[in-house]
Amino acid sequence: MFMTFTILVIKVDPIQRSVSWRWENMVMVGVGSFFLSFLWRYAMARKLAGNKNMAEGKILKTTIIQRLMEDPKLFRPALIFLAVFVVAFPFIFSHYQINIMTTALIYVVLGLGLNIVVGLAGLLDLGYVAFYAVGAYSYALLNYHFGLNFWFALPIGAGLGCLFGILLGFPVLRLRGDYLAIVTLGFGEIIRLVMENWNEFSFGPSGIANIPRPDFFGHEFSLQNATIFTYFIMIGLALLTIFFVNRLQNSRIGRAWIALREDEIACQSMGIDKTKTKLTAFALGATWAGMVGVMFAAKTTFINPPSFTFMESAIILSIVVLGGAGSITGVILGALILSLAPEYLREVREFRMLAFGACMVLMMVFRPQGLITNVRRVYKFEKSPDSKKEQNL
Amino acid sequence: MKDILEVKKLTMDFGGLRAIDNLDLDIQEKEIVALIGPNGAGKTTFFNCITGLYQPTGGDIVITPPGKPAERINGLKPNYVTQRGLARTFQNIRLFQNMTVLENVMIGRHCRTYAGVASAMFKTAFQRREENKIVQDSYEVLEKIGLSEYVNELAKNLPYGAQRRLEIARAMATDPFLLLLDEPAAGMNPQETRELDDLIIRIRDREGISILLIEHDMKLVMSLSDRIFVVDYGRKIAQGTPDEIKENPVVIKAYLGEDLDAQA
Amino acid sequence: MEHFQYFIELFLGGLTRGSIYALIALGYTMVYGIIQLINFAHGEIYMIGAFTSLIVAVVLTSLGFNQLSIIILASLIAVIYSSAYGYTIEKIAYKPLRNAPRLSALISAIGMSIFLQNYVQLAQTSDFVPFPSLIPDFDFVEPFAHIISTQEIIIILTTAVVMILLTILIKFTKIGKAMRATAQDREMALLTGVDVDLVISVTFIIGSATAAIGGFLIASHIGMINFYIGFIAGIKAFTAAVLGGIGSIPGAVLGGLVLGWTESFATGYISSDYEDVFAFALLVLILIFRPAGILGRTTAQKV
């Protein structure tokens, strides 16, 4: 522990030296980083010390959340309140706020989609954003060339996402976990690089502009109303996703995914087709990404390759990791925190990715089960078969 | 009596090492057969070959499920082997640790059920009926194995002996005609071992399932088995009834020379 | 004749590139060999090595040191810093997860990589920084200067030397033996008195040091660095490591060279727009068709 500290102190040294070397405008950066290092050291000390407390405090925390989730007397009013808030939101807050919230919802759905792949089936997909790009580009290009409208593009985007998922998944899903991560990462970069360089097809780095927003049976809204409309579509999509993912998770397929994550060999020996099950998870995750990609293109009306870098995949992954792999509530919470916090805390915005990275490491080290713990999720599993069983007997 | 599993001249090479060498073995309907031998004799490798985890280098594995024609299953993927009706347990317990006991057994039902992604998403009537059936069937299996008290526990929180039995329950849930048990009594105390003895007999008598087991506990092997196969260095050195095996000088030599503890 | 010269140029260019990939790939391979973890942050170590040597070199230049001492000090300090980083990363992000599922450690590694990238971006700059050309041109290279530069020769030679030193270290020293033992079976090594923690730390330090040398060399060769170079280089070096058979040191070098040539010839004869696509495509193809690599062996999964 002490050794870690000494090196953490040395860590800032190259930056300090940069002060003596760079011009005046870099002095601020140097000094700032110096203080940041102190902060970092304090945080580290607290983390190490707090590790034990956290382990003890965990039990208390989960019981509170559990009580909220399990007790209908508390849960229902909370749900109603949430529903009212969600509906009222666009009429209370500004245009800008609605946009932010729509983006957050996009991340919720992306997180839930990736959750199927990473959280349930335990397949680390680092190129998830590629399917998102496939969806976005399919809408943009189909609209550009054939004037296809949003509602037709939505299922097509989802379908193409699924298709790409299967095409990629088929050869790579035989690979071991860590190799799979690298291949998907490579694939994600290939898609982006192709989009960037294949000018005739994707208009290269300049991207595609003037993508129409969603319409309502041919009726086009004013900018203000279109934003609200987009927000509600996104709410709908998010609800649909939660609904489906929840059902999948507690189904025969969902159980197979979890079993696969737990022990691949035992899983096969219990009669589960490894490749098929993995492919289903992979393709379903890709389907959702494709669908949200269409949504993203429609919302921003402009897409270009830099929207789909590896960093985007990393953000989605940290949503899943932060929220708790496998837990729907956790992923929603994670998505809201990670996408809203940087918007509302503007001062620290440039430290966003830094914080994401740190958060991934710290979560893995101190709390691998995520914000919403495993215990709760399993409790839910315990609950449903149990009640069914009683019906039957 | 007819053979339900017939293994002929099975050979398995790892690089230059021959782990199994021209091994012959057969199991008949409702028979309990034990496969014994010193550590490293190739017993678990044999299981892995039969259940499709390894691709045998040579030889034939032919199964004849009750009421079905004979079929050669070399090189079939593990999940297809299980679908054909061979289920196994693992020497080093491989449960789905973070799933409940019931769910572990429900996974065993996977290959006998059909609901897919679409029916799960739309919760069709078929899917709901099937889900209920899975839960019911799985619970019944747990009752048979005597684990119903743990139904909602996480697998990893189970006592050791119960974990071993859960492995058997999970395998049973796949509706096998032949159960392959890899050291089911390992790490059990005498009380648990006696219960296991009863359980295995019960499975054979009531369910009509044949059993092939690897075991080091000689008392258990001798009391349970109808026939015993002894392997050493991947080769079969003896086969016969428990009494024959006890008297067999080759077996005694192999054991005294290699593994004294095993006889205890 | 012109065709031939173009070919030679591409060949040597590929050799230089490949050598750099090989230097970084060595670190991947060693770490993977010992703890079966893809050290995602390894590319970042390389980037930090490049930055450190840049900073040191500029500071020393402003202090009026002569060129030779700058080269030696800059590379030395870069090696020391990178090793310290490698050591710290292992202690913070991997050691607590040694018995956790592999997925956890992998996610932690990715997090560490993102963290370090942004740390350098924020602490330094997100723009490309010009890197001073430190290595002087040797006279005897003059006649061949249109084909190969002094820097390229030095890069190739350094890689060869590092590889030979590493092989000697692993084959003939005590710590090398301990490393091999740990790679084979960590628990058994521990039982027979090998200080596994120390071995792992040493592995990270050596891996980081080679990455730092790579960082220093490539930075002075290309003349530009930014915070993002580690990511791309990291993936490519990983490709090299997998290509040669991960866990094998000659494999890493061979893989690096094959990758370097592939890129060089593909960009030279096909199209330069898709430079990175070739590398990624090669990676995907290798992993799908021969995951054990050129020199790797397929190992049976233990049940």
Side-chain angles (χ1 to χ4, degrees), chain C residues 4-271:
Chain C
F4 183 67
Q5 194 184 330
Y6 188 54
F7 176 83
I8 292 288
E9 266 172 41
L10 291 178
F11 179 82
L12 290 172
L15 190 63
T16 316
R17 252 176 221 246
S19 301
I20 295 289
Y21 294 149
L23 275 178
I24 313 171
L26 285 173
Y28 271 114
T29 274
M30 289 176 64
V31 168
Y32 192 91
I34 300 253
I35 56 172
Q36 278 77 49
L37 168 76
I38 298 173
N39 180 10
F40 260 90
H42 192 65
E44 268 53 59
I45 300 269
Y46 150 87
M47 181 262 299
I48 284 169
F51 261 95
T52 314
S53 56
L54 168 81
I55 292 164
V56 173
V58 175
V59 170
L60 291 180
T61 314
S62 69
L63 293 176
F65 279 73
N66 74 23
Q67 198 141 22
L68 186 66
S69 58
I70 289 177
I71 295 173
I72 293 172
L73 279 175
S75 49
L76 199 67
I77 293 176
V79 165
I80 292 169
Y81 262 107
S82 294
S83 306
Y85 269 94
Y87 176 81
T88 316
I89 289 170
E90 197 269 327
K91 284 281 173 289
I92 293 178
Y94 305 146
K95 193 168 173 230
L97 293 171
R98 212 169 279 164
N99 295 316
R102 268 157 77 153
L103 205 63
S104 303
L106 202 58
I107 291 174
S108 177
I110 295 164
M112 193 39 107
S113 161
I114 295 170
F115 177 82
L116 288 175
Q117 255 179 46
N118 287 275
Y119 162 70
V120 172
Q121 183 193 5
L122 291 169
Q124 294 287 335
T125 169
S126 52
D127 300 325
F128 272 97
V129 186
F131 197 94
S133 168
L134 291 169
I135 302 168
D137 289 331
F138 294 142
D139 288 340
F140 69 87
V141 192
E142 201 64 43
F144 313 103
H146 58 290
I147 315 178
I148 187 164
S149 71
T150 313
Q151 287 167 356
E152 288 174 327
I153 293 177
I154 287 180
I155 289 174
I156 295 164
L157 284 180
T158 313
T159 308
V161 170
V162 168
M163 186 194 147
I164 291 165
L165 283 179
L166 272 185
T167 314
I168 292 172
L169 178 98
I170 286 175
K171 281 246 162 79
F172 301 110
T173 63
K174 206 176 157 205
I175 185 82
K177 206 191 256 174
M179 281 162 94
R180 278 180 289 149
T182 312
Q184 286 264 324
D185 189 332
R186 197 189 306 152
E187 268 175 46
M188 205 53 217
L190 196 65
L191 286 176
T192 49
V194 174
D195 185 345
V196 171
D197 282 345
L198 180 78
V199 167
I200 293 175
S201 293
V202 168
T203 312
F204 269 85
I205 288 171
I206 295 174
S208 306
T210 55
I213 295 172
F216 172 72
L217 290 173
I218 192 76
S220 59
H221 179 55
I222 293 179
M224 298 266 265
I225 55 171
N226 80 345
F227 73 98
Y228 203 60
I229 56 169
F231 178 67
I232 295 286
I235 297 178
K236 288 188 182 172
F238 176 77
T239 310
V242 173
L243 201 56
I246 199 153
S248 139
I249 287 185
V253 176
L254 183 67
L257 295 180
V258 170
L259 181 65
W261 281 321
T262 311
E263 272 191 25
S264 189
F265 287 122
T267 49
Y269 287 121
I270 305 172
S271 156

Side-chain angles (χ1 to χ4, degrees), chain A residues 97-148:
Chain A
Q97 305 279 345
I98 301 166
N99 255 329
I100 291 176
M101 196 44 97
T102 312
T103 311
L105 286 169
I106 287 182
Y107 278 112
V108 168
V109 178
L110 282 175
L112 287 171
L114 186 62
N115 185 39
I116 297 177
V117 186
V118 178
L120 293 179
L123 306 164
L124 188 51
D125 180 357
L126 295 179
Y128 193 60
V129 78
F131 306 118
Y132 186 43
V134 165
Y137 267 95
S138 59
Y139 176 41
L141 289 171
L142 285 172
N143 183 271
Y144 182 84
H145 292 296
F146 308 107
L148 201 75

